[in-house]
Amino acid sequence: MAGTAGLVDEVAQAMRVCDSVIRACNAVAAAVSARSGVSVDVLLTNANHLYLVACSGVWRAPRAVQVNYGIAGRVLSTGHTAALADALIEYASLYGGRGIGSVISAPVQAGCQPTIGVVNVEFDGVLADLEDWKAVLAKIGVLLGRRIHQLGGPSDESAPQWLLRHTLSLAAADDPAELAARYCRAAVDLSGLRCAALVVRRADEFAEWIGPPLVVMGDYCASGSRRLVDAVSALPPQSLSRLVDAACQHQASHSRGDRSVLDTRGFEPLMDAGVRTLIAASVHTGRERLDFDAAILVMDELAFQPPSDTAVVLELLMTNAAVVYERMSTQQKLQTLAELDPLTGLRNRRPLAGRLASGAPSRTAIVAMDIDNFKDINDLWGHVAGDRALTEVADAIRRALREGDEVFRVGGDEFVAVLDVPDQNEAERVAQRMAAAVADRGKAISVGVALRRPDEPVEVTLRRADEALYAAKRDKSVSAMVAS
């Protein structure tokens, strides 16, 4: 086993670049374990529990224990480093009979501040002299306490409180992009890793997924470089799709360490980008297959051990995010149906106000239209013929519009088009083109055009367009009447 010389300096150097409490704790665990091969865990207090924040080794570490638990509880109450020369003799029931030798526990504290946690080191064998290790770990505990104090202290939230806060945050998202960004932030917050990216892929060509077939829907970086998430966003579709396949192959998983001894199939682009710790989770709702596959990739350039249940919690949170998306998608579909005229497929009067409000005065023109002699069509040929006339006129007007313009059916045989134009002459030209397109279908419309004036309420512009429309009905010598 390597000695303790220089270990304090190594830990100090490792923590200097850490920008979160979880990263600082993991840096301590990684540095001490790498030097000596011992098992290390760092626990911080919250209410009446010590919560596991970082660990090394392969034993099953408890996620949380009572503050009076074992040697850690003794250190927490006294504020002094403690050691068990032979743990199986002094605390036989504590370790359940598994192989263990000496144990040292040091307080995590900054100066006169209260003890906020412990650093535990467990040796495979019994040490003849524990004093050097006790002195070194006491210094490391002080260094860690100072760094945690600099970073704002340990979280005041328990794990259930954290999960509830982020669950509520996901439910409050307004759209899929915001939902993805909030989930990525939650993943980084929970794991302590540097960054996260959410990759979404349409399940198949028949899925009702709205958006690109394959997209990095959201990302989040705790601080510093965005290099890893930018590397994911820059991957070609084939590589992104392989990442989704690899993440969705099993339940949530976590990997860390040297790629030369690990099976990284499917994740090679991440390893090439410098990822050394990865948590991958996917959607598992337990219900009918979704219209999309989603994979969260939580990444860091450092190799360390996140809390033991991180992957499982992220998967549960991913499932919750998928449920929120499904509800959001259903609401969007219902809203779309409410805003569409079922006969013509045009949007109706409800969304017209929002479109008008978003237009710039002096560059927004309103074109009011209705079908000439529409009542006669219904009276002579019936409502089926009237409906056919409405769909033909709506299609002709829609095809005559430029990109960015939109026409609405506002009732009966009345239509309103909203145009983005440089001046009134352009508005008149587009209106004449719409009238000509309808005439080519054997129908006729009356058209009134009004360019919105500076500081003019949209209701006034609409009224001027209507007045121009009725003037056009009286004077059939013009195809489109411009409002005065």
Side-chain angles (χ1 to χ4, degrees):
M1 180 184 301
T4 59
L7 181 55
V8 174
D9 291 337
E10 291 179 18
V11 170
Q13 178 65 27
M15 282 196 296
R16 193 169 294 124
V17 297
C18 295
D19 50 17
S20 72
V21 172
I22 293 179
R23 288 173 66 83
C25 293
N26 274 280
V28 169
V32 175
S33 180
R35 166 64 79 92
S36 60
V38 297
S39 296
V40 186
D41 59 8
V42 180
L43 300 99
L44 299 181
T45 57
N46 183 289
N48 295 320
H49 284 81
L50 279 165
Y51 282 91
L52 180 68
V53 180
C55 63
S56 66
V58 296
W59 76 100
R60 182 174 178 81
R63 179 70 180 92
V65 297
Q66 295 289 333
V67 291
N68 59 356
Y69 174 80
I71 186 174
R74 187 200 310 173
V75 170
L76 196 64
S77 63
T78 64
H80 299 297
T81 302
L84 302 176
D86 188 343
L88 284 184
I89 294 176
E90 297 187 48
Y91 277 85
S93 61
L94 191 62
Y95 294 94
R98 64 179 173 82
I100 191 70
S102 299
V103 175
I104 302 174
S105 185
V108 177
Q109 54 191 185
C112 298
Q113 299 290 329
T115 302
I116 58 173
V118 296
V119 178
N120 284 336
V121 175
E122 300 180 358
F123 297 86
D124 292 337
V126 176
L127 296 184
D129 184 3
L130 299 176
E131 294 308 312
D132 283 349
W133 270 102
K134 286 178 64 177
V136 166
L137 289 176
K139 294 178 181 178
I140 289 174
V142 171
L143 287 175
L144 179 57
R146 288 175 182 168
R147 188 61 182 144
I148 290 174
H149 181 70
Q150 292 169 355
L151 293 168
S155 172
D156 292 331
E157 291 181 315
S158 66
Q161 289 171 330
W162 179 95
L163 188 58
L164 178 60
R165 175 167 61 86
H166 282 290
T167 298
L168 293 174
S169 174
L170 295 181
D174 291 328
D175 55 63
E178 183 183 359
L179 176 64
R182 290 189 179 198
Y183 178 73
C184 289
R185 178 164 190 160
V188 171
D189 190 5
L190 168 67
S191 66
L193 273 63
R194 170 75 69 188
C195 57
L198 181 67
V199 185
V200 179
R201 179 181 64 190
R202 185 173 62 193
D204 55 59
E205 60 180 319
F206 303 107
E208 296 184 9
W209 168 250
I210 301 173
L214 182 66
V215 65
V216 179
M217 179 68 75
D219 61 55
Y220 179 77
C221 292
S223 62
S225 172
R226 287 180 50 87
R227 187 176 62 82
L228 294 182
V229 294
D230 288 343
V232 172
S233 298
L235 289 175
Q238 184 177 6
S239 297
L240 272 181
S241 190
R242 286 192 66 199
L243 284 176
V244 175
D245 288 337
C248 295
Q249 184 176 5
H250 303 293
Q251 297 289 322
S253 61
H254 134 258
S255 306
R256 70 185 179 111
D258 185 355
R259 63 178 298 180
S260 65
V261 297
L262 298 175
D263 182 359
T264 62
R265 284 176 294 181
F267 296 106
E268 293 91 345
L270 302 185
M271 302 300 103
D272 292 341
V275 173
R276 290 297 173 268
T277 304
L278 171 69
I279 299 175
S282 56
V283 178
H284 294 277
T285 62
R287 302 198 308 274
E288 187 178 345
R289 180 178 174 83
L290 297 169
D291 291 331
F292 61 92
D293 302 314
I296 184 70
L297 306 170
V298 196
M299 305 166 285
D300 205 300
E301 301 97 332
L302 300 179
F304 63 73
Q305 178 76 43
S308 55
D309 56 358
T310 301
V312 175
V313 173
L314 283 180
E315 189 171 65
L316 291 173
L317 205 61
M318 172 81 90
T319 299
N320 180 66
V323 172
V324 172
Y325 170 78
E326 286 185 300
R327 185 173 67 248
M328 190 182 292
S329 179
T330 299
Q331 290 173 341
Q332 183 179 15
K333 290 176 182 176
L334 291 175
Q335 182 176 352
T336 299
L337 289 174
E339 293 181 349
L340 283 181
D341 170 40
L343 178 63
T344 62
L346 301 179
R347 291 208 291 170
N348 56 32
R349 185 183 291 274
R350 290 183 60 184
L352 173 60
R355 175 60 193 270
L356 290 173
S358 65
S362 303
R363 295 188 60 89
T364 301
I366 296 176
V367 182
M369 298 162 280
D370 71 6
I371 302 175
D372 292 346
N373 304 314
F374 182 70
K375 185 176 183 301
D376 292 342
I377 296 175
N378 276 329
D379 291 345
L380 291 174
W381 306 103
H383 289 291
V384 173
D387 288 349
R388 185 164 57 250
L390 284 169
T391 57
E392 290 177 355
V393 169
D395 185 62
I397 293 172
R398 183 166 40 202
R399 291 177 181 274
L401 291 175
R402 306 160 309 162
E403 184 177 356
D405 297 337
E406 187 173 7
V407 61
F408 302 79
R409 184 187 177 195
V410 295
D413 63 328
E414 300 172 5
F415 302 88
V416 169
V418 182
L419 315 178
D420 182 15
V421 293
D423 51 43
Q424 185 167 283
N425 291 334
E426 176 67 11
E428 188 175 359
R429 280 192 291 269
V430 176
Q432 290 171 345
R433 186 164 66 243
M434 288 189 286
V438 173
D440 289 342
R441 300 286 187 98
K443 304 292 187 298
I445 58 174
S446 296
V447 182
V449 183
L451 185 68
R452 187 180 175 192
R453 296 164 179 163
D455 301 322
E456 181 181 55
V458 292
E459 296 83 2
V460 175
T461 313
L462 272 169
R463 185 170 65 247
R464 290 198 298 116
D466 277 335
E467 290 171 353
L469 164 65
Y470 289 111
K473 280 188 175 296
R474 293 190 295 269
D475 183 359
K476 302 309 294 182
S477 64
V478 293
S479 56
M481 183 69 72
V482 179
S484 58

